[in-house]
């Protein structure tokens, strides 16, 4: 079941999340060598039709703690909605956490599941995969496709 779509009533909160994400991902690149912030914004754009403003904030910030320089406390102190921070928490893989357990945690919340799926699908973009050596692209594609299948199996 997909989360109920909702209107984006708080553009200020989404803009604030964009600014926090820029700060958290300053000078970071993704596994393709591209600015990591672009990935965060693509994921948010992908989920926009199906999530409300809290979901949009969480989507923009989905990697801010795990891969960026932000902490949950900093997000809360900056005024990010606690519900969005809770979703970011679900989307943050812990050190040593098994992938299946992590994906199960992401799937436990309908908005987190949608964001995580968009996160994974973004990494499967054929245009970006061509930026990697063929063997690396093939391995990544297989690994990410398996994660999408695992995530979907929890739905």
């Amino acid at each position: 079941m997909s989360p109920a779509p909702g209107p984006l009533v708080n553009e200020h909160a989404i803009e604030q999340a964009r600014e926090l994400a820029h700060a958290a991902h300053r000078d970071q690149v993704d596994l393709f060598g591209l600015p990591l912030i672009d990935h965060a914004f693509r994921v948010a754009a992908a989920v926009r039709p199906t999530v409300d403003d809290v979901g949009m904030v969480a989507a923009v910030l989905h990697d801010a703690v795990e891969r960026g320089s932000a902490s949950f406390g900093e997000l809360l102190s900056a005024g990010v909605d606690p519900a969005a921070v809770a979703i970011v928490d679900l989307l943050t893989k812990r050190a040593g956490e098994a992938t299946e357990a992590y994906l199960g945690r992401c799937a436990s919340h309908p908005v987190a599941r949608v964001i995580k799926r968009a996160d994974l699908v973004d990494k499967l973009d054929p245009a970006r995969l061509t930026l990697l050596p063929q063997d690396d692209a093939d391995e990544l594609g297989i690994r990410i496709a398996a994660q999408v299948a695992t995530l979907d199996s929890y739905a």
Side-chain angles (χ1 to χ4, degrees):
M1 172 161 66
S2 297
L8 293 176
V9 297
N10 195 343
E11 288 295 331
H12 172 74
I14 296 165
E15 183 55 36
Q16 178 194 28
R18 291 174 63 85
E19 291 170 10
L20 290 167
H22 268 291
H25 297 303
R26 187 172 317 282
D27 300 324
Q28 288 185 307
V29 295
D30 64 14
L31 40 103
F32 304 103
L34 302 170
L36 183 57
I37 193 65
D38 293 347
H39 165 73
F41 294 162
R42 285 191 307 271
V43 169
V47 303
R48 187 175 191 120
T50 58
V51 301
D52 63 10
D53 57 326
V54 171
M56 284 296 296
V57 168
V60 170
L61 295 171
H62 79 275
D63 275 335
V65 174
E66 179 182 335
R67 297 178 66 192
S69 62
S71 71
F72 297 116
E74 289 169 343
L75 296 178
L76 290 168
S77 292
V80 176
D81 187 317
V85 175
I87 295 169
V88 173
D89 187 24
L90 290 170
L91 294 165
T92 301
K93 189 172 183 187
R94 310 300 192 256
E97 184 175 27
T99 299
E100 294 76 19
Y102 165 64
L103 293 173
R105 189 159 40 82
C106 292
S108 71
H109 187 285
V111 174
R113 181 175 49 246
V114 167
I115 295 169
K116 185 60 191 175
R117 192 171 203 292
D119 172 50
L120 293 170
V121 168
D122 184 68
K123 294 172 185 165
L124 290 174
D125 183 318
R128 282 187 294 286
L129 285 172
T130 63
L131 299 173
L132 298 176
Q134 188 63 50
D135 289 346
D136 292 346
D138 292 345
E139 187 277 326
L140 179 66
I142 290 167
R143 184 168 42 91
I144 298 296
Q147 289 178 15
V148 170
T150 299
L151 184 68
D152 289 349
S153 76
Y154 290 117

mmCIF file of all heavy atoms in Angstrom, residues 17-63:
data_model
loop_
_atom_site.group_PDB
_atom_site.id
_atom_site.type_symbol
_atom_site.label_atom_id
_atom_site.label_comp_id
_atom_site.label_asym_id
_atom_site.label_seq_id
_atom_site.Cartn_x
_atom_site.Cartn_y
_atom_site.Cartn_z
ATOM 1 N N ALA A 17 15.153 22.288 4.574
ATOM 2 C CA ALA A 17 15.766 20.967 4.440
ATOM 3 C C ALA A 17 16.806 20.979 3.326
ATOM 4 O O ALA A 17 17.885 20.379 3.463
ATOM 5 C CB ALA A 17 14.699 19.910 4.172
ATOM 6 N N ARG A 18 16.508 21.652 2.233
ATOM 7 C CA ARG A 18 17.472 21.757 1.123
ATOM 8 C C ARG A 18 18.757 22.445 1.598
ATOM 9 O O ARG A 18 19.859 22.005 1.275
ATOM 10 C CB ARG A 18 16.852 22.502 -0.057
ATOM 11 C CG ARG A 18 15.744 21.723 -0.757
ATOM 12 C CD ARG A 18 15.050 22.552 -1.840
ATOM 13 N NE ARG A 18 15.952 22.939 -2.915
ATOM 14 C CZ ARG A 18 16.247 22.186 -3.977
ATOM 15 N NH1 ARG A 18 15.690 21.014 -4.119
ATOM 16 N NH2 ARG A 18 17.079 22.633 -4.890
ATOM 17 N N GLU A 19 18.610 23.516 2.371
ATOM 18 C CA GLU A 19 19.783 24.227 2.887
ATOM 19 C C GLU A 19 20.581 23.340 3.844
ATOM 20 O O GLU A 19 21.821 23.312 3.794
ATOM 21 C CB GLU A 19 19.349 25.516 3.580
ATOM 22 C CG GLU A 19 18.808 26.555 2.617
ATOM 23 C CD GLU A 19 18.155 27.747 3.303
ATOM 24 O OE1 GLU A 19 18.282 27.881 4.550
ATOM 25 O OE2 GLU A 19 17.504 28.546 2.593
ATOM 26 N N LEU A 20 19.891 22.623 4.716
ATOM 27 C CA LEU A 20 20.574 21.710 5.645
ATOM 28 C C LEU A 20 21.277 20.584 4.882
ATOM 29 O O LEU A 20 22.398 20.199 5.234
ATOM 30 C CB LEU A 20 19.573 21.130 6.646
ATOM 31 C CG LEU A 20 19.015 22.099 7.678
ATOM 32 C CD1 LEU A 20 17.815 21.485 8.393
ATOM 33 C CD2 LEU A 20 20.099 22.509 8.669
ATOM 34 N N ALA A 21 20.635 20.077 3.845
ATOM 35 C CA ALA A 21 21.249 19.016 3.040
ATOM 36 C C ALA A 21 22.493 19.539 2.327
ATOM 37 O O ALA A 21 23.523 18.845 2.273
ATOM 38 C CB ALA A 21 20.243 18.459 2.035
ATOM 39 N N HIS A 22 22.414 20.752 1.786
ATOM 40 C CA HIS A 22 23.601 21.350 1.146
ATOM 41 C C HIS A 22 24.758 21.418 2.138
ATOM 42 O O HIS A 22 25.894 21.064 1.801
ATOM 43 C CB HIS A 22 23.288 22.759 0.621
ATOM 44 C CG HIS A 22 22.823 22.799 -0.789
ATOM 45 N ND1 HIS A 22 23.634 22.503 -1.864
ATOM 46 C CD2 HIS A 22 21.616 23.106 -1.312
ATOM 47 C CE1 HIS A 22 22.954 22.633 -2.984
ATOM 48 N NE2 HIS A 22 21.717 22.993 -2.678
ATOM 49 N N ALA A 23 24.479 21.863 3.356
ATOM 50 C CA ALA A 23 25.533 21.965 4.372
ATOM 51 C C ALA A 23 26.062 20.591 4.762
ATOM 52 O O ALA A 23 27.270 20.396 4.901
ATOM 53 C CB ALA A 23 24.999 22.703 5.602
ATOM 54 N N ALA A 24 25.184 19.619 4.903
ATOM 55 C CA ALA A 24 25.590 18.272 5.325
ATOM 56 C C ALA A 24 26.399 17.548 4.256
ATOM 57 O O ALA A 24 27.234 16.698 4.574
ATOM 58 C CB ALA A 24 24.358 17.446 5.690
ATOM 59 N N HIS A 25 26.154 17.871 2.996
ATOM 60 C CA HIS A 25 26.819 17.158 1.891
ATOM 61 C C HIS A 25 27.834 18.018 1.153
ATOM 62 O O HIS A 25 28.242 17.684 0.042
ATOM 63 C CB HIS A 25 25.761 16.650 0.907
ATOM 64 C CG HIS A 25 24.828 15.652 1.496
ATOM 65 N ND1 HIS A 25 25.250 14.473 2.074
ATOM 66 C CD2 HIS A 25 23.473 15.653 1.614
ATOM 67 C CE1 HIS A 25 24.205 13.791 2.504
ATOM 68 N NE2 HIS A 25 23.116 14.493 2.246
ATOM 69 N N ARG A 26 28.259 19.104 1.770
ATOM 70 C CA ARG A 26 29.215 20.009 1.130
ATOM 71 C C ARG A 26 30.438 19.237 0.617
ATOM 72 O O ARG A 26 31.056 18.485 1.340
ATOM 73 C CB ARG A 26 29.663 21.080 2.120
ATOM 74 C CG ARG A 26 30.528 22.159 1.496
ATOM 75 C CD ARG A 26 30.802 23.318 2.432
ATOM 76 N NE ARG A 26 29.668 23.792 3.201
ATOM 77 C CZ ARG A 26 28.685 24.576 2.740
ATOM 78 N NH1 ARG A 26 28.684 24.957 1.487
ATOM 79 N NH2 ARG A 26 27.710 24.960 3.540
ATOM 80 N N ASP A 27 30.697 19.384 -0.666
ATOM 81 C CA ASP A 27 31.871 18.792 -1.327
ATOM 82 C C ASP A 27 31.856 17.259 -1.371
ATOM 83 O O ASP A 27 32.873 16.657 -1.720
ATOM 84 C CB ASP A 27 33.176 19.277 -0.681
ATOM 85 C CG ASP A 27 33.344 20.784 -0.765
ATOM 86 O OD1 ASP A 27 32.934 21.371 -1.785
ATOM 87 O OD2 ASP A 27 33.871 21.376 0.203
ATOM 88 N N GLN A 28 30.753 16.623 -1.028
ATOM 89 C CA GLN A 28 30.683 15.161 -1.097
ATOM 90 C C GLN A 28 30.255 14.727 -2.493
ATOM 91 O O GLN A 28 29.461 15.400 -3.148
ATOM 92 C CB GLN A 28 29.679 14.602 -0.088
ATOM 93 C CG GLN A 28 30.150 14.688 1.338
ATOM 94 C CD GLN A 28 29.152 13.993 2.267
ATOM 95 O OE1 GLN A 28 27.969 14.289 2.247
ATOM 96 N NE2 GLN A 28 29.661 13.078 3.075
ATOM 97 N N VAL A 29 30.770 13.583 -2.908
ATOM 98 C CA VAL A 29 30.359 12.996 -4.181
ATOM 99 C C VAL A 29 29.772 11.617 -3.925
ATOM 100 O O VAL A 29 30.072 10.963 -2.924
ATOM 101 C CB VAL A 29 31.526 12.902 -5.191
ATOM 102 C CG1 VAL A 29 32.018 14.290 -5.582
ATOM 103 C CG2 VAL A 29 32.669 12.071 -4.641
ATOM 104 N N ASP A 30 28.919 11.179 -4.854
ATOM 105 C CA ASP A 30 28.314 9.859 -4.738
ATOM 106 C C ASP A 30 29.248 8.811 -5.353
ATOM 107 O O ASP A 30 30.375 9.122 -5.760
ATOM 108 C CB ASP A 30 26.915 9.845 -5.364
ATOM 109 C CG ASP A 30 26.915 10.115 -6.858
ATOM 110 O OD1 ASP A 30 27.986 10.060 -7.510
ATOM 111 O OD2 ASP A 30 25.829 10.390 -7.397
ATOM 112 N N LEU A 31 28.786 7.598 -5.442
ATOM 113 C CA LEU A 31 29.635 6.530 -5.959
ATOM 114 C C LEU A 31 29.928 6.657 -7.444
ATOM 115 O O LEU A 31 30.771 5.953 -7.977
ATOM 116 C CB LEU A 31 29.042 5.154 -5.650
ATOM 117 C CG LEU A 31 27.558 4.942 -5.780
ATOM 118 C CD1 LEU A 31 27.216 4.201 -7.043
ATOM 119 C CD2 LEU A 31 27.121 4.135 -4.597
ATOM 120 N N PHE A 32 29.286 7.605 -8.101
ATOM 121 C CA PHE A 32 29.547 7.871 -9.512
ATOM 122 C C PHE A 32 30.482 9.062 -9.690
ATOM 123 O O PHE A 32 30.799 9.449 -10.808
ATOM 124 C CB PHE A 32 28.231 8.137 -10.261
ATOM 125 C CG PHE A 32 27.245 7.018 -10.114
ATOM 126 C CD1 PHE A 32 26.168 7.135 -9.255
ATOM 127 C CD2 PHE A 32 27.404 5.832 -10.821
ATOM 128 C CE1 PHE A 32 25.262 6.097 -9.104
ATOM 129 C CE2 PHE A 32 26.512 4.792 -10.671
ATOM 130 C CZ PHE A 32 25.432 4.921 -9.815
ATOM 131 N N GLY A 33 30.899 9.682 -8.586
ATOM 132 C CA GLY A 33 31.762 10.849 -8.648
ATOM 133 C C GLY A 33 31.015 12.153 -8.869
ATOM 134 O O GLY A 33 31.619 13.184 -9.151
ATOM 135 N N LEU A 34 29.702 12.114 -8.727
ATOM 136 C CA LEU A 34 28.852 13.290 -8.928
ATOM 137 C C LEU A 34 28.459 13.884 -7.578
ATOM 138 O O LEU A 34 28.486 13.184 -6.560
ATOM 139 C CB LEU A 34 27.605 12.888 -9.719
ATOM 140 C CG LEU A 34 27.887 12.253 -11.087
ATOM 141 C CD1 LEU A 34 26.607 11.680 -11.687
ATOM 142 C CD2 LEU A 34 28.534 13.259 -12.016
ATOM 143 N N PRO A 35 28.063 15.145 -7.534
ATOM 144 C CA PRO A 35 27.686 15.750 -6.248
ATOM 145 C C PRO A 35 26.577 14.952 -5.550
ATOM 146 O O PRO A 35 25.526 14.690 -6.141
ATOM 147 C CB PRO A 35 27.191 17.142 -6.640
ATOM 148 C CG PRO A 35 27.872 17.432 -7.942
ATOM 149 C CD PRO A 35 27.958 16.095 -8.642
ATOM 150 N N LEU A 36 26.828 14.578 -4.314
ATOM 151 C CA LEU A 36 25.864 13.780 -3.556
ATOM 152 C C LEU A 36 24.551 14.532 -3.358
ATOM 153 O O LEU A 36 23.482 13.917 -3.348
ATOM 154 C CB LEU A 36 26.459 13.375 -2.206
ATOM 155 C CG LEU A 36 25.607 12.470 -1.330
ATOM 156 C CD1 LEU A 36 25.249 11.177 -2.056
ATOM 157 C CD2 LEU A 36 26.316 12.165 -0.028
ATOM 158 N N ILE A 37 24.618 15.840 -3.248
ATOM 159 C CA ILE A 37 23.401 16.619 -3.046
ATOM 160 C C ILE A 37 22.423 16.421 -4.205
ATOM 161 O O ILE A 37 21.201 16.415 -3.997
ATOM 162 C CB ILE A 37 23.730 18.120 -2.826
ATOM 163 C CG1 ILE A 37 22.508 18.866 -2.308
ATOM 164 C CG2 ILE A 37 24.294 18.765 -4.075
ATOM 165 C CD1 ILE A 37 22.039 18.443 -0.950
ATOM 166 N N ASP A 38 22.940 16.224 -5.409
ATOM 167 C CA ASP A 38 22.057 16.002 -6.556
ATOM 168 C C ASP A 38 21.238 14.724 -6.375
ATOM 169 O O ASP A 38 20.066 14.676 -6.740
ATOM 170 C CB ASP A 38 22.859 15.929 -7.858
ATOM 171 C CG ASP A 38 23.502 17.260 -8.214
ATOM 172 O OD1 ASP A 38 23.156 18.300 -7.607
ATOM 173 O OD2 ASP A 38 24.375 17.257 -9.100
ATOM 174 N N HIS A 39 21.850 13.696 -5.797
ATOM 175 C CA HIS A 39 21.136 12.442 -5.510
ATOM 176 C C HIS A 39 19.987 12.712 -4.534
ATOM 177 O O HIS A 39 18.861 12.254 -4.760
ATOM 178 C CB HIS A 39 22.104 11.404 -4.943
ATOM 179 C CG HIS A 39 21.438 10.243 -4.287
ATOM 180 N ND1 HIS A 39 20.779 9.256 -4.989
ATOM 181 C CD2 HIS A 39 21.308 9.931 -2.973
ATOM 182 C CE1 HIS A 39 20.277 8.375 -4.130
ATOM 183 N NE2 HIS A 39 20.585 8.762 -2.910
ATOM 184 N N ALA A 40 20.262 13.462 -3.484
ATOM 185 C CA ALA A 40 19.218 13.763 -2.490
ATOM 186 C C ALA A 40 18.043 14.473 -3.154
ATOM 187 O O ALA A 40 16.880 14.153 -2.889
ATOM 188 C CB ALA A 40 19.797 14.617 -1.361
ATOM 189 N N PHE A 41 18.343 15.405 -4.028
ATOM 190 C CA PHE A 41 17.272 16.165 -4.688
ATOM 191 C C PHE A 41 16.522 15.317 -5.713
ATOM 192 O O PHE A 41 15.309 15.476 -5.883
ATOM 193 C CB PHE A 41 17.826 17.432 -5.325
ATOM 194 C CG PHE A 41 18.343 18.439 -4.325
ATOM 195 C CD1 PHE A 41 19.192 19.437 -4.731
ATOM 196 C CD2 PHE A 41 17.988 18.382 -2.977
ATOM 197 C CE1 PHE A 41 19.669 20.380 -3.818
ATOM 198 C CE2 PHE A 41 18.462 19.310 -2.058
ATOM 199 C CZ PHE A 41 19.306 20.315 -2.485
ATOM 200 N N ARG A 42 17.212 14.388 -6.390
ATOM 201 C CA ARG A 42 16.514 13.490 -7.324
ATOM 202 C C ARG A 42 15.566 12.561 -6.574
ATOM 203 O O ARG A 42 14.448 12.303 -7.024
ATOM 204 C CB ARG A 42 17.512 12.665 -8.147
ATOM 205 C CG ARG A 42 18.208 13.425 -9.251
ATOM 206 C CD ARG A 42 18.969 12.494 -10.172
ATOM 207 N NE ARG A 42 19.899 11.604 -9.496
ATOM 208 C CZ ARG A 42 21.172 11.902 -9.221
ATOM 209 N NH1 ARG A 42 21.676 13.080 -9.562
ATOM 210 N NH2 ARG A 42 21.948 11.017 -8.608
ATOM 211 N N VAL A 43 16.007 12.053 -5.431
ATOM 212 C CA VAL A 43 15.149 11.183 -4.623
ATOM 213 C C VAL A 43 13.914 11.957 -4.175
ATOM 214 O O VAL A 43 12.786 11.465 -4.282
ATOM 215 C CB VAL A 43 15.926 10.597 -3.425
ATOM 216 C CG1 VAL A 43 14.987 9.905 -2.434
ATOM 217 C CG2 VAL A 43 16.997 9.624 -3.915
ATOM 218 N N ALA A 44 14.107 13.179 -3.708
ATOM 219 C CA ALA A 44 12.967 13.993 -3.278
ATOM 220 C C ALA A 44 12.016 14.255 -4.439
ATOM 221 O O ALA A 44 10.790 14.164 -4.284
ATOM 222 C CB ALA A 44 13.459 15.310 -2.671
ATOM 223 N N ALA A 45 12.548 14.549 -5.608
ATOM 224 C CA ALA A 45 11.689 14.788 -6.775
ATOM 225 C C ALA A 45 10.914 13.533 -7.150
ATOM 226 O O ALA A 45 9.742 13.610 -7.536
ATOM 227 C CB ALA A 45 12.533 15.263 -7.960
ATOM 228 N N ALA A 46 11.538 12.376 -6.995
ATOM 229 C CA ALA A 46 10.874 11.117 -7.350
ATOM 230 C C ALA A 46 9.700 10.799 -6.429
ATOM 231 O O ALA A 46 8.704 10.221 -6.874
ATOM 232 C CB ALA A 46 11.884 9.966 -7.330
ATOM 233 N N VAL A 47 9.802 11.170 -5.159
ATOM 234 C CA VAL A 47 8.733 10.840 -4.210
ATOM 235 C C VAL A 47 7.694 11.943 -4.079
ATOM 236 O O VAL A 47 6.636 11.728 -3.485
ATOM 237 C CB VAL A 47 9.284 10.465 -2.813
ATOM 238 C CG1 VAL A 47 10.259 9.302 -2.909
ATOM 239 C CG2 VAL A 47 9.914 11.646 -2.103
ATOM 240 N N ARG A 48 7.972 13.106 -4.629
ATOM 241 C CA ARG A 48 7.077 14.257 -4.467
ATOM 242 C C ARG A 48 5.612 13.952 -4.777
ATOM 243 O O ARG A 48 4.725 14.415 -4.061
ATOM 244 C CB ARG A 48 7.577 15.435 -5.299
ATOM 245 C CG ARG A 48 6.794 16.695 -5.038
ATOM 246 C CD ARG A 48 7.376 17.891 -5.785
ATOM 247 N NE ARG A 48 6.744 19.088 -5.286
ATOM 248 C CZ ARG A 48 7.374 20.093 -4.712
ATOM 249 N NH1 ARG A 48 8.678 20.047 -4.576
ATOM 250 N NH2 ARG A 48 6.709 21.140 -4.273
ATOM 251 N N PRO A 49 5.306 13.184 -5.820
ATOM 252 C CA PRO A 49 3.886 12.934 -6.110
ATOM 253 C C PRO A 49 3.149 12.103 -5.048
ATOM 254 O O PRO A 49 1.931 12.073 -5.040
ATOM 255 C CB PRO A 49 3.912 12.173 -7.436
ATOM 256 C CG PRO A 49 5.251 12.446 -8.025
ATOM 257 C CD PRO A 49 6.180 12.644 -6.864
ATOM 258 N N THR A 50 3.903 11.415 -4.172
ATOM 259 C CA THR A 50 3.232 10.473 -3.269
ATOM 260 C C THR A 50 3.396 10.766 -1.784
ATOM 261 O O THR A 50 2.862 10.024 -0.965
ATOM 262 C CB THR A 50 3.724 9.035 -3.527
ATOM 263 O OG1 THR A 50 5.137 8.987 -3.353
ATOM 264 C CG2 THR A 50 3.346 8.564 -4.916
ATOM 265 N N VAL A 51 4.153 11.805 -1.435
ATOM 266 C CA VAL A 51 4.344 12.096 -0.013
ATOM 267 C C VAL A 51 3.967 13.544 0.297
ATOM 268 O O VAL A 51 3.928 14.383 -0.591
ATOM 269 C CB VAL A 51 5.801 11.814 0.446
ATOM 270 C CG1 VAL A 51 6.171 10.359 0.212
ATOM 271 C CG2 VAL A 51 6.800 12.747 -0.222
ATOM 272 N N ASP A 52 3.720 13.807 1.567
ATOM 273 C CA ASP A 52 3.389 15.166 2.011
ATOM 274 C C ASP A 52 4.676 15.930 2.311
ATOM 275 O O ASP A 52 5.783 15.461 2.024
ATOM 276 C CB ASP A 52 2.450 15.122 3.210
ATOM 277 C CG ASP A 52 3.059 14.452 4.430
ATOM 278 O OD1 ASP A 52 4.278 14.166 4.447
ATOM 279 O OD2 ASP A 52 2.315 14.217 5.395
ATOM 280 N N ASP A 53 4.532 17.112 2.908
ATOM 281 C CA ASP A 53 5.711 17.942 3.160
ATOM 282 C C ASP A 53 6.677 17.302 4.151
ATOM 283 O O ASP A 53 7.890 17.440 4.010
ATOM 284 C CB ASP A 53 5.317 19.355 3.592
ATOM 285 C CG ASP A 53 4.439 19.401 4.821
ATOM 286 O OD1 ASP A 53 3.611 18.495 5.008
ATOM 287 O OD2 ASP A 53 4.561 20.368 5.597
ATOM 288 N N VAL A 54 6.193 16.572 5.122
ATOM 289 C CA VAL A 54 7.081 15.867 6.058
ATOM 290 C C VAL A 54 7.906 14.829 5.296
ATOM 291 O O VAL A 54 9.121 14.706 5.504
ATOM 292 C CB VAL A 54 6.282 15.209 7.204
ATOM 293 C CG1 VAL A 54 7.157 14.292 8.039
ATOM 294 C CG2 VAL A 54 5.647 16.281 8.086
ATOM 295 N N GLY A 55 7.269 14.104 4.394
ATOM 296 C CA GLY A 55 7.977 13.136 3.571
ATOM 297 C C GLY A 55 8.997 13.786 2.655
ATOM 298 O O GLY A 55 10.094 13.257 2.436
ATOM 299 N N MET A 56 8.650 14.955 2.110
ATOM 300 C CA MET A 56 9.594 15.676 1.258
ATOM 301 C C MET A 56 10.828 16.106 2.047
ATOM 302 O O MET A 56 11.963 15.970 1.576
ATOM 303 C CB MET A 56 8.923 16.890 0.618
ATOM 304 C CG MET A 56 8.011 16.553 -0.531
ATOM 305 S SD MET A 56 8.904 15.819 -1.923
ATOM 306 C CE MET A 56 9.950 17.200 -2.392
ATOM 307 N N VAL A 57 10.615 16.612 3.248
ATOM 308 C CA VAL A 57 11.741 17.008 4.100
ATOM 309 C C VAL A 57 12.616 15.792 4.375
ATOM 310 O O VAL A 57 13.849 15.844 4.256
ATOM 311 C CB VAL A 57 11.241 17.668 5.401
ATOM 312 C CG1 VAL A 57 12.369 17.815 6.415
ATOM 313 C CG2 VAL A 57 10.609 19.022 5.093
ATOM 314 N N ALA A 58 12.009 14.673 4.727
ATOM 315 C CA ALA A 58 12.770 13.452 5.005
ATOM 316 C C ALA A 58 13.518 12.976 3.756
ATOM 317 O O ALA A 58 14.670 12.533 3.853
ATOM 318 C CB ALA A 58 11.836 12.356 5.518
ATOM 319 N N ALA A 59 12.902 13.077 2.605
ATOM 320 C CA ALA A 59 13.560 12.640 1.368
ATOM 321 C C ALA A 59 14.798 13.483 1.079
ATOM 322 O O ALA A 59 15.860 12.958 0.739
ATOM 323 C CB ALA A 59 12.578 12.699 0.204
ATOM 324 N N VAL A 60 14.660 14.799 1.222
ATOM 325 C CA VAL A 60 15.807 15.686 0.979
ATOM 326 C C VAL A 60 16.944 15.367 1.949
ATOM 327 O O VAL A 60 18.121 15.388 1.582
ATOM 328 C CB VAL A 60 15.383 17.166 1.103
ATOM 329 C CG1 VAL A 60 16.590 18.093 1.111
ATOM 330 C CG2 VAL A 60 14.432 17.547 -0.027
ATOM 331 N N LEU A 61 16.600 15.030 3.181
ATOM 332 C CA LEU A 61 17.596 14.796 4.234
ATOM 333 C C LEU A 61 17.941 13.320 4.427
ATOM 334 O O LEU A 61 18.659 12.983 5.370
ATOM 335 C CB LEU A 61 17.088 15.379 5.553
ATOM 336 C CG LEU A 61 16.922 16.895 5.586
ATOM 337 C CD1 LEU A 61 16.200 17.324 6.856
ATOM 338 C CD2 LEU A 61 18.277 17.589 5.458
ATOM 339 N N HIS A 62 17.489 12.440 3.542
ATOM 340 C CA HIS A 62 17.603 11.000 3.808
ATOM 341 C C HIS A 62 19.035 10.517 4.026
ATOM 342 O O HIS A 62 19.254 9.543 4.735
ATOM 343 C CB HIS A 62 16.903 10.179 2.708
ATOM 344 C CG HIS A 62 17.675 10.020 1.453
ATOM 345 N ND1 HIS A 62 17.652 10.960 0.437
ATOM 346 C CD2 HIS A 62 18.499 9.033 1.035
ATOM 347 C CE1 HIS A 62 18.411 10.552 -0.554
ATOM 348 N NE2 HIS A 62 18.944 9.383 -0.212
ATOM 349 N N ASP A 63 20.033 11.164 3.454
ATOM 350 C CA ASP A 63 21.436 10.764 3.634
ATOM 351 C C ASP A 63 22.221 11.730 4.518
ATOM 352 O O ASP A 63 23.425 11.556 4.700
ATOM 353 C CB ASP A 63 22.142 10.688 2.275
ATOM 354 C CG ASP A 63 21.958 9.362 1.563
ATOM 355 O OD1 ASP A 63 21.704 8.345 2.245
ATOM 356 O OD2 ASP A 63 22.087 9.341 0.325
#
